[in-house]
Amino acid sequence: SKNVKTSGKFSGKYAESLISAFNYSKNLHDKIYRSLTTADFQTILNLSSKDGYSRSFQARLLLLFKHLDRYAIQEDIIQRSCAAYANLTILPPKKVHKSTLTLGEILAWKSFVPNTPFEELTKDIFIFALYSGCRASEIIFLRIDKIFIEQKYFITGTKTEASRDRQIPIHKEVLKIIKKYYNAKKEFLFTYMQ
């Protein structure tokens, strides 16, 4: 599709998105256009939602259907637009089964004996996350100057307008890990050298 040159009012990117929508609608390709109904278009829109496509992709599908209907009306293939009555549908997201770790799983992680420095670092970061509630990115980029051992807290966060720093108390399990990796000469708590 990179070699397709468009003429008229469609830009290259817009044309590519319509081609992508057309390819997704392959279930309609073998049907006679005048026999298509609103239900046919709606089925494709619903399927795209179930398949997890974005709302903007679904909007491109609907635009494609409307363009095709407009052309079919202009060429006297159909009398009225069926696509005009189709709607974008957003199905509720699939429920993701979330579970917390059992005591046995936590003990298994804590008793795991690493064989390499990388496994040891991975275990320590996991335990750190478990007892602090921090995201992996917050832990990996935890700066030494944001750790206050005496006051028993550390500060995480990124410097963006939308986010705020969080002050997190240091749990005794986290304190062991901080003391293990703390080096005032380093910028970040965790560094890994192979």
Side-chain angles (χ1 to χ4, degrees), residues 52-99:
Y53 283 89
S54 69
R55 185 168 175 86
S56 86
F57 180 76
Q58 294 172 45
R60 287 288 188 237
L61 281 169
L62 190 53
L63 276 171
L64 169 70
F65 300 153
K66 288 179 178 180
H67 283 308
L68 292 171
D69 267 7
R70 201 172 306 125
Y71 177 78
I73 290 170
Q74 177 184 329
E75 296 299 317
D76 291 325
I77 297 168
I78 60 175
Q79 300 302 312
R80 67 179 182 87
S81 173
C82 292
Y85 301 101
N87 297 306
L88 295 181
T89 52
I90 301 296
L91 298 175
K94 294 177 186 173
K95 286 195 173 186
V96 177
H97 177 68
K98 293 183 180 180
S99 63

